[in-house]
Amino acid sequence: MAHQATPVRRARLGRALGPEPTAVSGVVLLLPGGDEVSGRRPSPLLAAASVRGVGRRLARAGRDEGLAVHVVHYRYRGWNGGEANLAQDATWAADEIVRRYGDVPVCLVGLGMGGRAGLRAGGHEAVNSVLALAPWLPEEDVAAPPEPVKQLVGRQVLIVHGTSDGRTDPELSFRLAARAKKANRDVCRFEVHADGHGLHQYRDEVLALAEDFVMGAVFGRPVSRPVRDAFAAPPPLGLRMPLAAGFSPSRR
């Protein structure tokens, strides 16, 4: 009896969050977290749940300007070493956006391992910005090349990390931001004092910061003064910018 071929796994885009605009003029790709090593297929519901809050906030904020927000459903749960599966899937998703919508700006918004995927895939020609929330990054190893940053040149990059994150080391995201800032002045990083990996303690402020940054990067809206100051400040000031309680996006 002939053996059936193993089906090829494919990444896919979830349906747009909220009503999809009639004319799409910008896209956010939501990149959920994942594992360091895993060949299992992610649960679409669990993966989407981790980024749905920020996705809904961005969809509402950008609806009138034609923003479409999609969750990327990975082939595998794991990054898987040199395979960098999640970054590959993020790159595929950016290609798919170009196929569907044409030449529109894309912002990659990733959480945890999805933050690493967004930073790695940020060099895609359609991507103009990356928002990495509590990104998982590998420990620095003298025997291995450092996480690349040159692909981020020409993109606006914001990293947000809780100072009490016990799952992803905030010091590693600071070091990556410092290296990226040397190649690209449009890099900043905010620290959420005493918050953990899920950034729940200051959830409203984190969502407001995400909206402020993404609407500015994708549609050119004026951003709040703290974001402007963070981009303009030399390291380490603009890479350890505190996220103040009560932060809200600029309406100017």
Side-chain angles (χ1 to χ4, degrees), residues 2-250:
H3 291 286
Q4 286 186 328
T6 302
V8 176
R9 291 190 188 179
R10 300 186 187 279
R12 63 183 182 85
L13 292 184
R15 288 185 295 182
L17 298 185
E20 187 167 350
T22 304
V24 173
S25 55
V27 174
V28 166
L29 289 175
L30 300 171
L31 304 170
D35 297 334
E36 189 173 357
V37 178
S38 176
R40 296 176 62 187
R41 185 185 293 277
S43 161
L45 292 179
L46 290 178
S50 68
V51 291
R52 194 175 297 279
V54 66
R56 285 176 172 163
R57 175 69 175 252
L58 296 175
R60 285 195 301 269
R63 185 168 298 143
D64 291 343
E65 297 191 59
L67 183 69
V69 179
H70 294 272
V71 178
V72 178
H73 295 289
Y74 307 130
R75 296 167 295 161
Y76 303 97
R77 284 175 55 174
W79 181 271
N80 300 326
E83 293 296 320
N85 289 129
L86 306 192
Q88 286 188 26
D89 292 347
T91 298
W92 169 86
D95 284 338
E96 178 65 10
I97 290 304
V98 173
R99 187 188 71 80
R100 291 190 189 187
Y101 301 124
D103 184 19
V104 298
V106 175
C107 179
L108 303 179
V109 177
L111 171 67
M113 194 69 76
R116 184 188 186 188
L119 292 165
R120 182 71 71 90
H124 190 284
E125 61 183 7
V127 173
N128 81 341
S129 50
V130 179
L131 169 58
L133 302 169
W136 186 97
L137 295 165
E139 294 284 348
E140 295 171 353
D141 184 348
V142 294
E147 197 72 5
V149 295
K150 289 184 178 179
Q151 74 280 4
L152 298 172
V153 171
R155 280 76 181 162
Q156 294 186 58
V157 179
L158 169 61
I159 296 172
V160 183
H161 220 140
T163 59
S164 298
D165 192 331
R167 291 179 56 188
T168 62
D169 187 350
E171 189 61 25
L172 294 177
S173 76
F174 169 76
R175 294 177 194 170
L176 179 135
R179 290 194 294 111
K181 187 77 172 179
K182 292 179 181 179
N184 175 16
R185 66 185 302 273
D186 289 330
V187 174
C188 69
R189 178 178 172 275
F190 276 72
E191 293 186 335
V192 189
H193 180 66
D195 215 342
H197 183 68
L199 298 169
H200 298 308
Q201 186 172 341
Y202 294 95
R203 176 181 175 81
D204 290 344
E205 287 85 351
V206 170
L207 293 179
L209 177 61
E211 176 186 333
D212 192 30
F213 169 76
V214 173
M215 294 304 109
V218 176
F219 298 118
R221 287 190 193 175
V223 295
S224 62
R225 182 168 181 177
V227 173
R228 294 199 310 272
D229 288 350
F231 277 124
L237 297 178
L239 305 179
R240 293 196 185 277
M241 185 69 69
L243 181 60
F247 177 93
S248 63
S250 167

